[in-house]
Amino acid sequence: MRGILKVVISLQFLVVFRCQTLTLPKGIQKCNYGDLKCIIESMNNVIKQFPKGIPAIGMIPTDVVDVPNLELWNNDESGGVWLKFQLFNQINYGFENTTITKLKGFGRDPTATTMEIHGQIPSLIHKGSYIATGRVGFTLINTTGESVSDFQHFQFTLKLKVITEYRNNTRYLKIYELVPIVKMKRWILWLDEFFKENSDLTLAVNKVFNAHWVEFYNEMEPSILDVFSKVFTSLIGGIFHKVPYDELFLNNDFGNEQKS
């Protein structure tokens, strides 16, 4: 009798656990598979309403987003001009103002095609500390300071490739590749105390960068896109890991089908 009771209690616990896992918070609009207009509207409502995230479904805060350390330059220490430049202790502000503009995929079979998410952010602020060492002619650089970037009118396209994972016969998604494409109208950067003993030279360096930001960005783009890939993966991947894919949609009977 005790053994049967333990089994019943275990089954009840499993049912409760699965219901908690499979249930989205109230107020989140569900859509039919592939109804991109509805899905865009739902995504934008969630972004607007929950800037502090929703831990229960794996959504991290979007108003303050941690950013991995970044090495922008690592030139060979030779010749008259070389530079090593690293950013650390970085955070982004502005993802909470994201507007999703276009989607691709999100059908019943999410692996049938590459998923795409298009969006825009009025201003994406990036703050952090930096370490710079180098040489420009006879001038040696060995400094640390704070940096602030403003990516204005930031637009992005995310191309996602996903795989399906089954847990308790329920479909979950895992991102195995996320390729970001970004555009912006303007990148404004300020490096504080780049030359600690010479504020005029610090100002001159910042003016040169901001006057020629496009050329600088083109050189640093691979490193910057790698960081954006990691940031967007953390923003999206947590939800895919915690919420079954079919729970995101209406008529979500796929979970009752057998895995092919």
Side-chain angles (χ1 to χ4, degrees):
M1 183 67 181
R2 290 182 179 178
I4 295 174
L5 183 60
K6 288 181 178 179
V7 171
V8 172
I9 293 174
S10 297
L11 288 174
Q12 289 177 335
F13 176 80
L14 179 61
V15 169
V16 171
F17 176 78
R18 286 201 63 189
C19 288
Q20 290 176 341
T21 303
L22 298 177
T23 302
L24 286 176
K26 293 182 179 179
I28 296 182
Q29 177 185 3
K30 287 189 179 184
C31 305
N32 291 312
Y33 295 100
D35 186 349
L36 300 183
K37 182 178 179 181
C38 176
I39 298 171
I40 289 172
E41 180 181 349
S42 179
M43 283 185 172
N44 285 327
N45 287 337
V46 169
I47 293 169
K48 182 179 180 179
Q49 294 179 27
F50 301 99
K52 299 297 182 183
I54 312 174
I57 67 169
M59 178 181 172
I60 66 174
T62 55
D63 56 348
V64 181
V65 177
D66 291 331
V67 180
N69 293 343
L70 172 62
E71 184 177 73
L72 285 178
W73 280 291
N74 188 12
N75 303 139
D76 293 334
E77 298 180 20
S78 61
V81 178
W82 59 270
L83 180 66
K84 297 181 183 293
F85 191 93
Q86 295 177 317
L87 290 167
F88 60 98
N89 293 336
Q90 305 171 85
I91 52 177
N92 272 149
Y93 301 95
F95 281 106
E96 74 277 16
N97 298 317
T98 298
T99 299
I100 304 301
T101 58
K102 182 181 177 182
L103 295 175
K104 179 182 177 182
F106 294 89
R108 185 175 292 272
D109 181 3
T111 64
T113 183
T114 300
M115 303 172 81
E116 290 187 10
I117 302 175
H118 300 243
Q120 58 190 24
I121 305 171
S123 175
L124 188 60
I125 304 296
H126 180 106
K127 294 184 178 181
S129 303
Y130 71 86
I131 299 175
T133 57
R135 175 191 292 274
V136 180
F138 294 105
T139 303
L140 294 177
I141 300 170
N142 186 4
T143 186
T144 62
E146 301 300 313
S147 69
V148 180
S149 284
D150 182 0
F151 300 101
Q152 298 183 344
H153 301 282
F154 185 85
Q155 298 178 318
F156 62 85
T157 297
L158 310 178
K159 295 177 179 283
L160 293 79
K161 293 183 180 179
V162 298
I163 58 175
T164 303
E165 293 183 335
Y166 282 83
R167 290 178 246 152
N168 298 321
N169 295 319
T170 304
R171 290 198 304 174
Y172 293 81
L173 296 188
K174 181 177 181 180
I175 300 172
Y176 76 87
E177 183 179 76
L178 187 154
V179 178
I181 301 171
V182 304
K183 296 179 181 179
M184 66 200 76
K185 186 175 182 180
R186 178 77 174 159
W187 178 13
I188 299 174
L189 173 67
W190 177 261
L191 300 174
D192 190 40
E193 295 186 330
F194 195 80
F195 291 99
K196 296 184 184 299
E197 306 301 327
N198 192 326
S199 59
D200 289 339
L201 196 52
T202 293
L203 180 60
V205 167
N206 282 284
K207 283 185 175 181
V208 168
F209 180 91
N210 287 292
H212 301 278
W213 70 269
V214 174
E215 293 91 331
F216 282 103
Y217 178 81
N218 289 337
E219 183 175 343
M220 295 181 286
E221 185 177 39
S223 297
I224 294 175
L225 290 183
D226 181 64
V227 168
F228 277 126
S229 177
K230 293 174 181 176
V231 170
F232 280 113
T233 298
S234 69
L235 289 170
I236 303 168
I239 299 173
F240 282 169
H241 176 76
K242 206 150 190 176
V243 181
Y245 179 68
D246 299 294
E247 173 60 19
L248 299 172
F249 300 92
L250 297 169
N251 304 318
N252 52 359
D253 57 352
F254 192 97
N256 297 321
E257 299 176 12
Q258 292 295 321
K259 180 173 56 175
S260 59

